[in-house]
C-alpha cells in the first residue's frame, strides 16, 4: 500500500482515518487501551509526507520509550509505508530528542559536544559530594531525598534561584542544588531533567538583546525546525515537557497529542493528567477524536477494564468496546497467603505452557517490588526461566558501571563521578585518603579531578612518595587510553580498556564463579556495542562511543525486555505500553492494590490507583488471572487480606471465581467465594459464556446501606452477620467480626490498616 493511500487504508476504522486525515491545526486524540494509537500516528506521519508533501525532517514524533520509538520507526521504514525516506524523520523519546538538540548547540548551555549524561547513581554521588563540600551531615539530609527535591524543582522548570523557601530545610536544599549545578557544569555533564529543561530555557529565552549569541542562534534554529509535532502517551507528560511541545509547535500550531487520561499512572514522577484533560483550554480550536474500539483483548477483559475505570469522576467519557470474541472468563482465584499465591502462579504458567502459550507471552504483575521475592523463589524452585523488569538492570551492575565509567572518562575527562569510580578499580593501592587530597586540591583550584591529575607536581608533597607514584601511573594510563581510543569503533575501545586497565586480568585472577559471571556480562556489553553499531549504520549514521553511551544512559526498564522464552515479572507501572496473551495480576487486596502506606490516601492518589488497575487489566489479550490472599506477610508484618475494591467492579458475567486447595483447607476463601467445590485454573481453551457479556459496564448489586432489625439475620435482602464483607467511606473494605446493638444496629468490624472499629450499620454498605 502506498503511503499516499494511508488515510483511506482499510486497516483504519472511521475515527482512526479521521485523525490521520487531519492536517492543519491542533489535534487531540483520546486513544483507549488497545485502540491502535501507534497505527494512527504512523499513518498520520506517512500521510503528511506522501500526500501533503511535508519534508520528513520537518516532522518530530515523540515517544516515552526507546522501544516505542524503534517500533514506530520500523513501521514507517516498511516498503508499503515510507521506506528509506523515514530515516530523515525525527523519532525518539523526549530525552533522546533533547540530547540530539543540545549536541547541535552545546555552547548555548555552556557545555561541549562531548557532554555526558549522568544517571541516578551518578547524580546521587554528585549530591553526596555537594553535601560534604558544604559540611552537611548526609544522615540528616539523605542524598536520595535531596536529589528527589532537586528533580521536582527541575520538572517544574525552576533553578536554585527560583525555588520557593516554604518548608523546613528548603534553604539547605537550595544551597545543595546550587552546588550540584556547579558540579555538573564543571564536569561537562547533564542529568535527565537538564536535557529537557535546557532546551525549554533556550526556546523561552527573550530576544531583547540580553541573551548570548549562542542562545539566540539555537533558539531561532529550533523554532524553525519543525512544521509538525506529534507526541504519544501525552497523558504522561509533566509541565516542563508540555512547555517544550508548545514552544516547538508555536510557529505552526500543528501539535498532535495522542493519549488516554485513563492510563495516566506516573503522577509520582511528575506526570500531570491535567495536560491532556486541559488541552482544549490551551487550544480551543483543537479537533478532538476518540478511539474507543479495542483490538487487543477479549470482550470479557474489555468489559472488566471499563467497569474498573468507569467510577472515576474526573475522566474524559469514553466507552471502550470490542468486536473480539467473548473469550475465557477472568479467573478470580482466592489463595491462602503469598506462598500459596506463588504456587498458584507456577501451576497456572505450567498449564498455560502445556496449552501452547509461549512463556514470553506470560507476565506476572504486582503492585510493589517487594512482592516479587516469593514469586521468584517459586519460579527458581521449578527451574522456570523468567526475567524481572525494574530490578537491578544490566547497565546498573557493578562491572558494567565500571566499564561505562572508563569509557565516559575517555569521552569526557572532566567527569569527576566517573574518575572517582575507576581511580582504584581494579585495586591500584590508591586509598580514599589520597583521593580526598586530590579532590581537595581540585576543589580549591576550581578544576576537575582530571585537571588536578595533570597538575600533580603542584601538590605531590601532600600525597607522599608511594601514593604520588601510583596516582602518576593512573594518570599516564588515562592519557594513553584517551589517545588510543580516538577513531576506533566502540567495541574495540572497550576491549582495549579492559585489557590495558588490568580490569579483565583482575577478574580472571579471581577464578571464581562470580568473576566468571562478570566477565560474561562484559562480553554481553561488547555484544550490545556491536548491535548499536549495526543499527547506527543501518540508519546511515556513523557509530561512535558518544552515541553508544547516550543510548545506554537513556534506556528505560521497558527497553530491557527481551524476546527470550522467559516469563516476565514486573510492577504494573512497568507494564505500561506492553501486552501479553496471559497476565497474572497478583496481590489484589485492599491496601496492596489499591496500595496504601501509613498515610491516608488522597482522592487523587486513589484515582491514580484506579487508573493503574485499568492499565493492568488491559495488558491481557486473551487470559487474565487475578489472585487475592486471605493474609500476606510483607514489609516484616502479616496483613489480613480483603479483596480489592477493583475486583468487585468486575462484571459478574465476566468472572469465574475459584479457590486454591490451601485456601479452602484453611476455611478462609469460603467466606468470600460462593463456590461448593474446589477447582484450579487449568483450562486455557476458549469457553462460551453462560450469557452474553454486555458492552456497558455491569455494576455489582448491593449499592445500599445495611439495615439491622436487631437479629443476626438478613434484613431486606442484605445479610449482616459475622463474616459479612462491608464498605465504610473512610475505613474502606472490612469484615464483620460481630453484630452489636448500641441503641441502633452496629457492628464490630476489622478494616485492614485501621484495625477493629465499632461502626453504626447505617454508615456501611455491603461489599
Amino acid at each position: 500500500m502506498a503511503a499516499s493511500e494511508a488515510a483511506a487504508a482499510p486497516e483504519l476504522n472511521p475515527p482512526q482515518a479521521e485523525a490521520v486525515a487531519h492536517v492543519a491545526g491542533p489535534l487531540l486524540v483520546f486513544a483507549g487501551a488497545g485502540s491502535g494509537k501507534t497505527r494512527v500516528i504512523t499513518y498520520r506521519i506517512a500521510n503528511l509526507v506522501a500526500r501533503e508533501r511535508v519534508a520528513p525532517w520537518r516532522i518530530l514524533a515523540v515517544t516515552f520509550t526507546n522501544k516505542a520509538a524503534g517500533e514506530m520507526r520500523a513501521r514507517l521504514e516498511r516498503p508499503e509505508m515510507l521506506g528509506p525516506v523515514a530515516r530523515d524523520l525525527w523519532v525518539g523519546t523526549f530525552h533522546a530528542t533533547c540530547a540530539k538538540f543540545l549536541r547541535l548547540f552545546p555552547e548555548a548551555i555552556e557545555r561541549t559536544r562531548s557532554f555526558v549524561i549522568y544517571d541516578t547513581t551518578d547524580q546521587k554521588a554528585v549530591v553526596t559530594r555537594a553535601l560534604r563540600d558544604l559540611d552537611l551531615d548526609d544522615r540528616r539530609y539523605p542524598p536520595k531525598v535531596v536529589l528527589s527535591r532537586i528533580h521536582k524543582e527541575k520538572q517544574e522548570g525552576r533553578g536554585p534561584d527560583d525555588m520557593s523557601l516554604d518548608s523546613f530545610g528548603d534553604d539547605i536544599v537550595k544551597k545543595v542544588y546550587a552546588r550540584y549545578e556547579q558540579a555538573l557544569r564543571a564536569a561537562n555533564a547533564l542529568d535527565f531533567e537538564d536535557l529537557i529543561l535546557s532546551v525549554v530555557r533556550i526556546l523561552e529565552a527573550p530576544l531583547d538583546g540580553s541573551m548570548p549569541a549562542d542562545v539566540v542562534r539555537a533558539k531561532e534554529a529550533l523554532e524553525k525546525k519543525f512544521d509538525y509535532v506529534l507526541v504519544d502517551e501525552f497523558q504522561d507528560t509533566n509541565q516542563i515537557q508540555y512547555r517544550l511541545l508548545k514552544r516547538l509547535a508555536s510557529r505552526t500550531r500543528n501539535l498532535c497529542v495522542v493519549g488516554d487520561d485513563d492510563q495516566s499512572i506516573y503522577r509520582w514522577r511528575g506526570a500531570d493528567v491535567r495536560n491532556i484533560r486541559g488541552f482544549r483550554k490551551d487550544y480551543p480550536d483543537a479537533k478532538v477524536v476518540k478511539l474507543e474500539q479495542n483490538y487487543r483483548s477479549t470482550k470479557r477483559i474489555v468489559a472488566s477494564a471499563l467497569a474498573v475505570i468507569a467510577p472515576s469522576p474526573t475522566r474524559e467519557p469514553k466507552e471502550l468496546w470490542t468486536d473480539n470474541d467473548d473469550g475465557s472468563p477472568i479467573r478470580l482465584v482466592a489463595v491462602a497467603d503469598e506462598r500459596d499465591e506463588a504456587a498458584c502462579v507456577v501451576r497456572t504458567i505450567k498449564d498455560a505452557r502445556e496449552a501452547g502459550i509461549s512463556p514470553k507471552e506470560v507476565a506476572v504483575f504486582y503492585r510493589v517490588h517487594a512482592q516479587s521475592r516469593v514469586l521468584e523463589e517459586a519460579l527458581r524452585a521449578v527451574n522456570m526461566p523468567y526475567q524481572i523488569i525494574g530490578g537491578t538492570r544490566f547497565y546498573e551492575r557493578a562491572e558494567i558501571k565500571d566499564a561505562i565509567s572508563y569509557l565516559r572518562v575517555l569521552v569526557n575527562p572532566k567527569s569527576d563521578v566517573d574518575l572517582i569510580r575507576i581511580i582504584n578499580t581494579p585495586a591500584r593501592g590508591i586509598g580514599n585518603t589520597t583521593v580526598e587530597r586530590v579532590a581537595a586540591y581540585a576543589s580549591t583550584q576550581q578544576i576537575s579531578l582530571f585537571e588536578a591529575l595533570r597538575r600533580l607536581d603542584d601538590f605531590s608533597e601532600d600525597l607522599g612518595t608511594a601514593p604520588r607514584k601510583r596516582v602518576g601511573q593512573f594518570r599516564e594510563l588515562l592519557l594513553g587510553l584517551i589517545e588510543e581510543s580516538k577513531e576506533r569503533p566502540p567495541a574495540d575501545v572497550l576491549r582495549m580498556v579492559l585489557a590495558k586497565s588490568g580490569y579483565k586480568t583482575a577478574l580472571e585472577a579471581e577464578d571464581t564463579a562470580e568473576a566468571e559471571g562478570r566477565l560474561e556480562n562484559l562480553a554481553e556489553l561488547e555484544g550490545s556495542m556491536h548491535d548499536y553499531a549495526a543499527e547506527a549504520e543501518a540508519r546511515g549514521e556513523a557509530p561512535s562511543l558518544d552515541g553508544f553511551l547516550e543510548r545506554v544512559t537513556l534506556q528505560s526498564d521497558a527497553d530491557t525486555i527481551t524476546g527470550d522464552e522467559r516469563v516476565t515479572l514486573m510492577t504494573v507501572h512497568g507494564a505500561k505500553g506492553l501486552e501479553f496473551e496471559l497476565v497474572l495480576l497478583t496481590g489484589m487486596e485492599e491496601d496492596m492494590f489499591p496500595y496504601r502506606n501509613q498515610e491516608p490516601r488522597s482522592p487523587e492518589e486513589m484515582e491514580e490507583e484506579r487508573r493503574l488497575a485499568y492499565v493492568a487489566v488491559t495488558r491481557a489479550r486473551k487470559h487474565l488471572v487475578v489472585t487475592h490472599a486471605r493474609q500476606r506477610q510483607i514489609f516484616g508484618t502479616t496483613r489480613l487480606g480483603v479483596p480489592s475494591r477493583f475486583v468487585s467492579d468486575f462484571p459478574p458475567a465476566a468472572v469465574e471465581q475459584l479457590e486454591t486447595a490451601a485456601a479452602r483447607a484453611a476455611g478462609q476463601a469460603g467466606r468470600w467465594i460462593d463456590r461448593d467445590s474446589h477447582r484450579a485454573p487449568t483450562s486455557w481453551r476458549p469457553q462460551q459464556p453462560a450469557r452474553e457479556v454486555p458492552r456497558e459496564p455491569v455494576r455489582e448489586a448491593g449499592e445500599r446501606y445495611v439495615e439491622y432489625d436487631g437479629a443476626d439475620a438478613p434484613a431486606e435482602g442484605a445479610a449482616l452477620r459475622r463474616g459479612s464483607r462491608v464498605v465504610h467511606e473512610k475505613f474502606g473494605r472490612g469484615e464483620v467480626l460481630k453484630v452489636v446493638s448500641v441503641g441502633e444496629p452496629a457492628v464490630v468490624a476489622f478494616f485492614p490498616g485501621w484495625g477493629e472499629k465499632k461502626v453504626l450499620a447505617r454508615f456501611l454498605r455491603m461489599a
Side-chain angles (χ1 to χ4, degrees):
M1 180 188 66
S4 60
E5 300 169 354
E11 293 89 347
L12 301 176
N13 63 34
Q16 290 174 336
E18 185 181 5
V20 167
H22 179 77
V23 176
L27 172 64
L28 169 60
V29 180
F30 282 105
S35 62
K37 64 182 176 61
T38 304
R39 180 189 307 167
V40 167
I41 295 174
T42 53
Y43 273 105
R44 177 171 165 76
I45 292 172
N47 188 62
L48 290 172
V49 173
R51 177 175 289 177
E52 304 300 329
R53 303 301 179 188
V54 179
W57 55 88
R58 308 284 285 183
I59 298 175
L60 169 65
V62 184
T63 66
F64 265 81
T65 66
N66 292 305
K67 181 180 179 182
E71 290 175 351
M72 186 180 296
R73 186 182 293 277
R75 290 192 190 192
L76 288 163
E77 289 180 0
R78 292 173 184 169
E80 65 270 20
M81 293 294 281
L82 292 179
V85 73
R87 295 174 183 173
D88 292 330
L89 295 163
W90 279 57
V91 180
T93 64
F94 275 99
H95 293 99
T97 299
C98 288
K100 191 174 180 180
F101 287 156
L102 296 176
R103 293 205 190 276
L104 294 174
F105 306 102
E107 299 82 6
I109 57 169
E110 300 179 3
R111 302 294 194 275
T112 70
R113 194 176 185 280
S114 62
F115 66 77
V116 297
I117 304 167
Y118 280 171
D119 63 17
T120 305
T121 302
D122 304 322
Q123 295 164 29
K124 185 179 176 182
V126 176
V127 169
T128 301
R129 170 64 62 175
L131 289 166
R132 191 175 305 168
D133 290 344
L134 293 169
D135 198 24
L136 295 170
D137 187 353
D138 60 8
R139 290 171 296 182
R140 186 175 182 184
Y141 304 101
K144 184 177 179 180
V145 175
V146 175
L147 180 61
S148 177
R149 176 63 187 279
I150 292 173
H151 285 170
K152 182 178 179 181
E153 295 297 320
K154 289 192 176 187
Q155 288 167 0
E156 297 294 330
R158 294 188 291 268
D161 296 334
D162 305 319
M163 281 184 60
S164 57
L165 307 181
D166 300 326
S167 304
F168 174 77
D170 281 358
D171 55 337
I172 297 297
V173 173
K174 179 176 181 177
K175 292 177 182 178
V176 177
Y177 189 0
R179 183 62 65 96
Y180 174 80
E181 290 292 277
Q182 293 171 5
L184 290 182
R185 192 177 301 110
N188 193 34
L190 298 171
D191 63 20
F192 293 137
E193 279 69 28
D194 281 332
L195 294 173
I196 300 174
L197 181 57
S198 297
V199 176
V200 170
R201 285 174 173 165
I202 291 172
L203 287 167
E204 294 181 349
L207 294 178
D208 57 4
S210 63
M211 291 291 108
D214 290 329
V215 175
V216 174
R217 186 163 49 252
K219 174 183 172 68
E220 292 176 344
L222 291 176
E223 287 181 336
K224 297 175 182 177
K225 177 64 181 170
F226 301 111
D227 291 335
Y228 287 86
V229 177
L230 303 89
V231 58
D232 192 10
E233 304 287 4
F234 183 62
Q235 76 281 348
D236 293 331
T237 55
N238 58 33
Q239 285 300 315
I240 199 69
Q241 289 167 337
Y242 189 24
R243 281 165 58 182
L244 171 70
L245 295 170
K246 287 191 286 189
R247 284 288 177 173
L248 290 174
S250 61
R251 179 174 56 84
T252 65
R253 300 183 77 251
N254 292 329
L255 175 59
C256 169
V257 300
V258 183
D260 182 8
D261 60 322
D262 290 340
Q263 298 185 65
S264 180
I265 60 173
Y266 297 121
R267 179 174 174 268
W268 50 276
R269 68 183 189 195
D272 193 340
V273 71
R274 293 175 299 179
N275 289 348
I276 190 168
R277 289 176 177 168
F279 187 80
R280 283 167 288 192
K281 293 181 181 178
D282 295 332
Y283 297 92
D285 58 332
K287 182 177 184 61
V288 180
V289 177
K290 293 184 180 180
L291 308 181
E292 298 172 304
Q293 183 175 0
N294 178 287
Y295 292 92
R296 175 188 302 155
S297 307
T298 64
K299 275 191 173 70
R300 281 188 167 100
I301 292 173
V302 169
S304 298
L306 184 56
V308 167
I309 198 63
S312 176
T314 56
R315 66 186 289 263
E316 175 73 19
K318 294 178 292 296
E319 295 298 325
L320 201 67
W321 62 278
T322 184
D323 277 337
N324 293 339
D325 294 336
D326 292 321
S328 302
I330 294 174
R331 310 295 175 82
L332 181 57
V333 186
V335 299
D337 54 27
E338 72 280 1
R339 297 201 173 275
D340 186 32
E341 179 179 62
C344 175
V345 166
V346 170
R347 288 195 305 271
T348 303
I349 296 172
K350 283 183 175 180
D351 292 336
R353 291 178 64 177
E354 291 175 2
I357 298 179
S358 168
K360 67 182 179 183
E361 285 290 347
V362 178
V364 183
F365 295 164
Y366 35 81
R367 178 61 181 81
V368 293
H369 284 295
Q371 292 171 257
S372 70
R373 179 183 60 82
V374 177
L375 293 167
E376 287 188 78
E377 289 175 356
L379 291 170
R380 283 198 299 266
V382 296
N383 294 318
M384 187 174 290
Y386 68 91
Q387 57 180 334
I388 185 164
I389 306 303
T392 301
R393 290 161 46 187
F394 176 78
Y395 290 105
E396 292 174 350
R397 294 170 181 170
E399 63 275 12
I400 303 302
K401 287 284 289 182
D402 292 341
I404 294 296
S405 286
Y406 267 105
L407 297 177
R408 291 206 304 199
V409 167
L410 301 189
V411 170
N412 178 33
K414 291 183 178 180
S415 179
D416 288 355
V417 167
D418 293 302
L419 196 144
I420 288 175
R421 185 178 186 98
I422 66 174
I423 194 169
N424 196 43
T425 306
R428 299 184 176 91
I430 302 176
N432 291 335
T433 301
T434 300
V435 174
E436 285 299 321
R437 287 174 179 169
V438 175
Y441 176 80
S443 179
T444 301
Q445 300 297 315
Q446 295 187 334
I447 58 176
S448 68
L449 288 177
F450 182 77
E451 184 60 30
L453 294 182
R454 284 181 175 274
R455 303 183 191 180
L456 185 58
D457 292 341
D458 294 347
F459 65 100
S460 58
E461 56 227 22
D462 296 338
L463 301 181
T465 304
R468 181 195 180 286
K469 180 179 179 181
R470 296 177 191 127
V471 171
Q473 290 171 339
F474 175 69
R475 177 187 63 182
E476 297 309 310
L477 169 66
L478 280 189
L479 292 173
L481 292 175
I482 291 171
E483 186 62 31
E484 291 190 55
S485 66
K486 294 177 181 178
E487 308 300 326
R488 296 181 69 163
D492 286 356
V493 175
L494 175 64
R495 283 195 298 271
M496 178 195 69
V497 165
L498 294 178
K500 296 201 171 185
S501 67
Y503 198 97
K504 184 178 181 181
T505 301
L507 286 177
E508 290 172 339
E510 285 186 28
D511 193 25
T512 63
E514 182 181 358
E516 182 63 28
R518 291 184 174 183
L519 286 168
E520 290 174 354
N521 288 335
L522 291 169
E524 183 66 22
L525 176 63
E526 182 181 337
S528 71
M529 292 178 128
H530 287 299
D531 292 342
Y532 154 75
E535 292 170 11
E537 290 168 354
R539 294 194 303 268
E541 301 173 1
S544 66
L545 192 54
D546 307 57
F548 174 76
L549 293 172
E550 182 173 302
R551 168 175 153 164
V552 167
T553 308
L554 298 181
Q555 271 203 332
S556 68
D557 288 339
D559 298 323
T560 66
I561 296 178
T562 69
D564 298 343
E565 292 293 322
R566 295 189 288 173
V567 173
T568 299
L569 276 64
M570 58 171 55
T571 65
V572 181
H573 280 103
K576 181 69 180 303
L578 305 175
E579 59 182 72
F580 302 88
E581 185 167 346
L582 164 62
V583 166
L584 295 102
L585 178 55
T586 64
M588 285 298 285
E589 304 112 38
E590 284 293 304
D591 295 340
M592 280 303 302
F593 199 170
Y595 181 71
R596 184 170 74 87
N597 53 23
Q598 296 303 313
E599 298 298 324
R601 282 182 296 247
S602 67
E604 293 80 9
E605 289 172 331
M606 179 53 70
E607 285 304 300
E608 180 148 300
E609 290 292 307
R610 182 171 291 280
R611 296 194 294 267
L612 192 59
Y614 172 79
V615 167
V617 172
T618 55
R619 299 310 94 193
R621 289 199 296 268
K622 294 183 179 180
H623 307 290
L624 176 62
V625 175
V626 180
T627 62
H628 53 95
R630 176 59 172 141
Q631 67 178 32
R632 181 180 301 276
Q633 186 172 359
I634 193 166
F635 306 131
T637 62
T638 298
R639 298 183 176 186
L640 295 180
V642 176
S644 168
R645 66 191 68 190
F646 304 138
V647 167
S648 67
D649 288 329
F650 291 168
V655 175
E656 181 178 20
Q657 301 194 63
L658 308 167
E659 59 187 352
T660 65
R664 186 173 182 83
Q668 298 165 342
R671 294 184 184 177
W672 15 289
I673 294 185
D674 184 16
R675 178 69 64 175
D676 294 330
S677 61
H678 167 68
R679 293 178 57 198
T682 58
S683 173
W684 297 106
R685 304 291 187 265
Q687 299 182 15
Q688 294 300 317
R691 55 188 181 276
E692 183 180 357
V693 179
R695 178 173 298 176
E696 296 298 320
V698 178
R699 304 297 300 165
E700 291 279 357
E703 297 290 334
R704 58 188 178 281
Y705 288 104
V706 173
E707 295 183 3
Y708 175 54
D709 63 0
D712 185 7
E716 296 186 11
L720 180 60
R721 54 168 60 90
R722 184 173 181 270
S724 295
R725 296 287 164 175
V726 294
V727 179
H728 185 273
E729 183 177 352
K730 178 178 180 181
F731 304 136
R733 293 172 183 265
E735 178 181 345
V736 174
L737 301 180
K738 60 182 176 180
V739 180
V740 297
S741 177
V742 290
E744 64 175 291
V747 301
V748 175
F750 176 82
F751 297 93
W754 297 92
E756 292 186 12
K757 298 288 182 181
K758 184 180 292 185
V759 185
L760 296 178
R762 56 190 169 90
F763 294 117
L764 300 172
R765 61 181 173 85
M766 297 297 287

